[in-house]
Amino acid sequence: MYVINQAYNVYHESLACRYNVTHPLKLYGSLTFRSVYLSVPYHHFTTAFLLYTTISLTFVWTFTDLFLMLIASGISCRFEQLNKRINANLQNSTEAFWGEMRTHFVGLMELVEQTNRIIGPIVIVSCANDMYFLCLQTLNTIEHKPFPINEWYFRYSFTFLILRTSVKLWYTAAVDEKSTRTNKLVQKVRSENYNDEVEILRICSGAGVSISGMGFFNISRKIFLTMAGSILTYELVLIRFHRSSQGAGQERPCAYID
């Protein structure tokens, strides 16, 4: 859809500027990657490489979010299995059972810590990428779309970005939700069934664990409000800057030379 949208824009520019098009691929590459060809001479291989890179990065961004969703889903599923077993044995007063539950919970905590050490950089890159494009696309909502295909492409890409980001955060925040639910279940144990192992499990599950971006932030349900507030704050600044600098740095129209 990106390629079709851009090709449609190039086609209409060629009609409006009355280009004498003898090499359509050169026209498409020169107008699509203007900033690159201001510094280097045109070459078909360069255009193919830039187009391949642009499309590949789109797949990489989506795969990164999907990868985090799958990792978080596997961990939250383990916490849910543990919670179901605890919920079904709230009347159990044997220390052996609660010692086993404590061991399992501590093991899951260590699993999350080890996972965070490995995927922490990916979490930061993924969230930063989504935040950047959410701010950029939100700013683009005030831009005029010259053709219907531009409007529909923008709506699709923006909607896809919002859904992808929301689903990723929802699944990764499930780890925090499931781990804190363990503490709520342990607090339901009646006093006559209480023992030292239950107390240790209650203490261990008090803080919960969550997917983290190298310790800079934890992903929980609250992150939705945090991101929304950050986007709104930066968007007000960007809109003001955009209006004050509107028209600056725009390329000259009809500047293509075959």
Side-chain angles (χ1 to χ4, degrees):
M1 292 188 69
Y2 161 77
V3 174
I4 294 173
N5 176 72
Q6 187 61 26
Y8 191 84
N9 292 337
V10 170
Y11 170 72
H12 274 273
E13 182 174 339
S14 67
L15 293 180
C17 297
R18 298 180 180 179
Y19 292 142
N20 183 20
V21 182
T22 56
H23 300 90
L25 181 60
K26 182 179 179 181
L27 173 67
Y28 176 86
S30 299
L31 297 182
T32 302
F33 307 108
R34 298 177 197 255
S35 58
V36 175
Y37 289 122
L38 288 175
S39 305
V40 299
Y42 178 84
H43 196 282
H44 289 321
F45 175 79
T46 306
T47 297
F49 174 75
L50 292 173
L51 190 59
Y52 169 79
T53 303
T54 302
I55 296 176
S56 297
L57 285 176
T58 305
F59 282 95
V60 169
W61 296 330
T62 304
F63 172 78
T64 301
D65 288 353
L66 179 61
F67 174 75
L68 294 178
M69 289 165 54
L70 294 174
I71 292 293
S73 296
I75 296 175
S76 61
C77 181
R78 290 298 187 183
F79 274 109
E80 182 63 19
Q81 290 175 343
L82 180 66
N83 291 338
K84 286 182 178 179
R85 190 175 177 191
I86 292 176
N87 189 47
N89 292 272
L90 291 177
Q91 307 301 323
N92 196 323
S93 60
T94 60
E95 290 196 5
F97 170 77
W98 290 109
E100 181 184 357
M101 295 300 99
R102 174 184 57 79
T103 303
H104 289 330
F105 186 85
V106 172
L108 288 175
M109 289 180 65
E110 294 175 349
L111 173 63
V112 174
E113 291 177 0
Q114 178 67 15
T115 302
N116 284 333
R117 282 195 290 269
I118 297 173
I119 70 171
I122 301 178
V123 174
I124 289 183
V125 171
S126 176
C127 291
N129 176 75
D130 290 340
M131 279 287 291
Y132 168 77
F133 280 102
L134 281 172
C135 290
L136 179 63
Q137 292 291 71
T138 304
L139 181 64
N140 288 336
T141 57
I142 65 176
E143 293 285 346
H144 172 68
K145 312 299 186 298
F147 307 111
I149 190 174
N150 302 139
E151 182 68 30
W152 285 108
Y153 170 70
F154 172 76
R155 291 182 181 181
Y156 162 76
S157 60
F158 195 22
T159 302
F160 176 75
L161 175 62
I162 293 175
L163 289 176
R164 189 187 71 188
T165 304
S166 300
V167 172
K168 179 196 70 175
L169 294 177
W170 183 268
Y171 274 85
T172 49
V175 175
D176 175 77
E177 182 185 15
K178 303 295 184 183
S179 64
T180 54
R181 185 169 181 266
T182 303
N183 183 263
K184 297 177 181 178
L185 288 173
V186 172
Q187 293 181 18
K188 293 182 179 180
V189 177
R190 300 175 66 90
S191 57
E192 57 267 23
N193 298 324
Y194 214 79
N195 53 58
D196 292 340
E197 291 292 348
V198 176
E199 176 64 16
I200 297 174
L201 178 58
R202 185 188 67 80
I203 296 174
C204 292
S205 61
V209 290
S210 57
I211 300 297
S212 172
M214 297 182 67
F216 289 103
F217 59 89
N218 296 323
I219 300 181
S220 63
R221 297 286 189 241
K222 297 178 182 179
I223 199 171
F224 285 95
L225 297 178
T226 304
M227 290 187 67
S230 300
I231 291 173
L232 179 61
T233 301
Y234 285 111
E235 207 58 41
L236 293 175
V237 177
L238 289 172
I239 290 175
R240 183 175 180 180
F241 176 78
H242 175 75
R243 289 175 177 174
S244 63
S245 61
Q246 197 165 14
Q250 289 184 350
E251 292 144 343
R252 292 186 296 110
C254 302
Y256 171 75
I257 300 177
D258 196 349

